[in-house]
Amino acid sequence: MKYDLLIKNGKVVFRNEVKKADIAVRDGKIATISEQINETADQIFDASGQYVMPGMIDTHVHICEPGRTEWEGFETGTKALAAGGTTTYVEMPLNALPATTTKEALDLKLAAAAGKNYIDYALYGGLVPGNLEHLQELSDAGVVAYKCFMATCGSEIPGDFKNVDDYTLYKGMKKIAELGHVLSIHAENAEITDGLAREMIKQGRLKPADYVESRPVFTEVEAIKRALLLAKETGCKLHFVHISSTAGVEEIMKARNEGQDVTLESCPHYFTITLDQFEEIGALAKCSPPIRDKVEQEKLWKALEQGKIDMLTSDHSPCPPELKDDKINNIFDAWGGITGCQNNVDLMFDEAVKKRKFPITEFVRMIATKPAERFNLRMKGEIAIAKDADMILIDPNHSYTVKADNLYYRHKHSPYINRKINCRVTKTFVRGQLVFDLNKGIVGKPLGKFIQPLKISDREVVQS
Ligand code: ZN
């Protein structure tokens, strides 16, 4: 019987092993996996010498549309994601305007997103002071999880995102536990980091190292511990976003060992940029929690090698160039967010799998399988029969240097420009459709679909 797509001779990365196999796709699903498939297909690709793996499920992306579309938009953002090997992403409830904290705002975002996405997408709902009444409707509308900030965020612009106070955090967790969802948290102590930043500015200490010093590791750990305590009290499932320190990782591991339902993510920049490099690169490498020093980074690599990092996300948080300008001589004034999603899979495959010999199956667990499981995207995240045919090809021997010209972002800047990476995503398929080809660039139409998590009631059925 004829297939739609056939990928032959690749080294296929399954959940527990890597094996040479052919993969055939019909109607967007993986239909056959076999040592050799002899039937024909409309499209046949030879993946000899390349890895075939599930596309990245990047659960931390800021697209900024509607409202701040001049920062990044669905079209440019998802072209970059597709070119970088991501096949599904979860969009954050900020930095679009209005922030996604009500059903009304979510509908505006869905309308803005329709027909512009090159890969599949799911949405986060926000937890902010004053929106407790809206959490249910966001769940009904299909958000995969909720996101809140313990660090200061947002602006005075009406409709912008706001960080939670402890009361909102506590009451929000109670409600989210009732809804059976996960709450994702940006964990940093707002008052201490704000206070230390004011001190630095007063003393005229305006360099990257001063910014990093204003957000010490303990401010991350304190917020993690506070959130874990409230989660224990309320029974809420937690996910900690962009953990930057091993002390943070260890607190989360401890809570998990004591029975709490908690996961964590970290981001490529914490593994690939050090404080020294931040000082050289400048504002483009500013994010929060901040880039740490070499010693802390090595410890974080140890945690990754020990399997303590559940998942990797880009935290792609773009902005216009003037907010990252060289002319900004006060680092505290620069936008805190890194533009990086187009190179994340390559970069981490190179650093973790190639240079540190991290098992490739574990790499795939971090970029695809675990995020799909945690956020209940059950058709995604694995090369297996009947799953969505969301796949990427990686050539482990194709080196390249990141150049601004090759970036699909609305604003072609990134801290990775001029970095040499020793492997490359060469093809990206979403539900069996080729969306990126290294030789041709983005191909085809924006076929990305809005996907919703497995409903709570269905999850129970599956378990029983
Ligand atoms: Zn973020």
Side-chain angles (χ1 to χ4, degrees):
M1 203 158 48
K2 203 175 173 197
Y3 294 105
D4 300 329
L5 168 71
L6 185 54
I7 299 175
K8 291 187 73 74
N9 306 318
K11 289 178 271 185
V12 182
V13 186
F14 297 104
R15 193 179 272 258
N16 297 312
E17 61 175 346
V18 183
K19 230 168 75 181
K20 202 156 163 277
D22 292 354
I23 301 171
V25 175
R26 189 177 293 126
D27 298 330
K29 308 274 185 202
I30 295 173
T32 307
I33 302 169
S34 172
E35 240 170 76
Q36 199 175 342
I37 298 174
N38 294 317
E39 283 96 332
T40 175
D42 292 336
Q43 279 194 300
I44 301 176
F45 294 101
D46 182 12
S48 296
Q50 302 201 51
Y51 287 100
V52 183
M53 58 176 76
M56 181 165 178
I57 297 180
D58 187 345
T59 60
H60 193 151
V61 177
H62 300 266
I63 289 290
C64 315
E65 183 173 359
R68 282 196 180 95
T69 311
E70 68 277 15
W71 288 27
E72 183 70 286
F74 288 108
E75 192 190 327
T76 47
T78 61
K79 279 181 174 174
L81 284 160
T86 297
T87 48
T88 299
Y89 72 104
V90 185
E91 213 273 328
M92 280 289 167
L94 67 161
N95 302 310
L97 281 171
T100 318
T101 55
T102 63
K103 163 120 184 4
E104 207 185 332
L106 183 120
D107 287 342
L108 287 173
K109 187 176 275 182
L110 284 175
K116 292 184 196 149
N117 280 268
Y118 283 82
I119 63 172
D120 285 347
Y121 56 102
L123 298 181
Y124 259 110
L127 169 66
V128 293
N131 89 324
L132 291 168
E133 310 295 290
H134 295 278
L135 299 177
Q136 173 84 53
E137 70 193 29
L138 286 165
S139 172
D140 296 342
V143 300
V144 292
Y146 297 84
K147 164 80 179 288
C148 73
F149 263 66
M150 294 173 81
T152 298
C153 71
S155 68
E156 292 312 310
I157 300 170
D160 211 352
F161 205 76
K162 283 272 181 287
N163 44 304
V164 285
D165 52 83
D166 286 347
Y167 168 77
T168 305
L169 186 56
Y170 168 64
K171 296 294 277 190
M173 279 191 198
K174 267 188 116 158
K175 183 68 194 175
I176 291 165
E178 227 178 271
L179 295 169
H181 274 292
V182 172
L183 175 63
S184 293
I185 300 183
H186 176 136
E188 281 182 297
N189 182 300
E191 290 181 15
I192 300 175
T193 53
D194 289 352
L196 292 175
R198 281 194 300 272
E199 256 179 52
M200 292 291 173
I201 293 165
K202 214 167 137 195
Q203 293 165 20
R205 296 181 54 189
L206 310 173
K207 299 273 173 254
D210 305 319
Y211 171 72
V212 174
E213 207 182 309
S214 77
R215 305 181 93 92
V217 165
F218 82 86
T219 57
E220 181 174 57
V221 176
E222 186 281 331
I224 290 169
K225 289 175 90 159
R226 185 161 25 114
L228 284 168
L229 176 66
L230 297 180
K232 204 169 177 180
E233 201 62 33
T234 54
C236 188
K237 293 187 259 190
L238 295 189
H239 173 70
F240 287 96
V241 297
H242 51 48
I243 291 298
S244 69
S245 65
T246 35
V249 172
E250 291 309 326
E251 281 305 327
I252 294 161
M253 289 299 128
K254 204 167 88 193
R256 189 189 295 178
N257 292 337
E258 286 167 5
Q260 276 188 263
D261 187 341
V262 55
T263 48
L264 72 97
E265 71 185 38
S266 190
C267 311
H269 39 268
Y270 297 114
F271 297 93
T272 58
I273 304 173
T274 60
L275 173 55
D276 292 345
Q277 290 166 314
F278 179 16
E279 300 223 74
E280 278 165 36
I281 298 167
L284 284 172
K286 180 186 172 184
C287 56
S288 68
I291 295 299
R292 308 273 179 206
D293 63 21
K294 186 86 194 139
V295 175
E296 185 57 52
Q297 186 180 81
E298 262 318 303
K299 290 198 309 196
L300 203 60
W301 268 113
K302 272 272 156 331
L304 183 144
E305 284 163 3
Q306 291 165 350
K308 292 175 178 173
I309 308 296
D310 295 307
M311 51 189 107
L312 290 171
T313 65
S314 66
D315 193 5
H316 178 62
S317 181
C319 69
E322 57 273 21
L323 298 178
K324 289 287 196 187
D325 215 305
D326 282 349
K327 292 193 273 302
I328 296 176
N329 32 37
N330 177 355
I331 192 72
F332 291 91
D333 286 345
W335 173 250
I338 286 184
T339 299
C341 68
Q342 193 175 325
N343 305 103
N344 282 172
V345 173
D346 297 343
L347 191 59
M348 287 306 283
F349 188 94
D350 187 19
E351 296 294 331
V353 179
K354 286 194 72 177
K355 294 188 183 150
R356 293 179 185 250
K357 311 292 173 215
F358 188 65
I360 193 166
T361 46
E362 283 291 287
F363 176 76
V364 164
R365 186 259 303 157
M366 286 195 302
I367 67 161
T369 320
K370 188 73 188 188
E373 284 172 1
R374 186 56 166 167
F375 295 100
N376 290 301
L377 305 170
R378 66 171 161 170
M379 297 322 296
K380 309 285 189 187
E382 196 180 356
I383 295 204
I385 298 293
K387 291 271 184 184
D388 283 353
D390 295 348
M391 300 180 285
I392 57 175
L393 268 50
I394 290 192
D395 184 340
N397 299 312
H398 184 125
S399 297
Y400 73 106
T401 301
V402 180
K403 294 286 175 207
D405 280 355
N406 298 331
L407 299 174
Y408 286 98
Y409 311 128
R410 169 141 302 160
H411 303 291
K412 300 183 189 323
H413 58 220
S414 167
Y416 302 124
I417 285 176
N418 293 329
R419 186 183 282 252
K420 188 179 176 227
I421 301 177
N422 302 297
C423 57
R424 192 157 201 184
V425 171
T426 61
K427 283 185 174 54
T428 303
F429 299 89
V430 174
R431 285 176 278 105
Q433 304 276 327
L434 183 67
V435 292
F436 170 75
D437 183 322
L438 186 56
N439 297 320
K440 298 179 190 148
I442 296 293
V443 291
K445 295 200 172 69
L447 49 79
K449 282 203 300 209
F450 173 51
I451 50 170
Q452 300 192 32
L454 188 57
K455 287 267 181 284
I456 311 290
S457 50
D458 297 334
R459 276 179 232 165
E460 280 149 12
V461 172
V462 169
Q463 279 158 13
S464 61

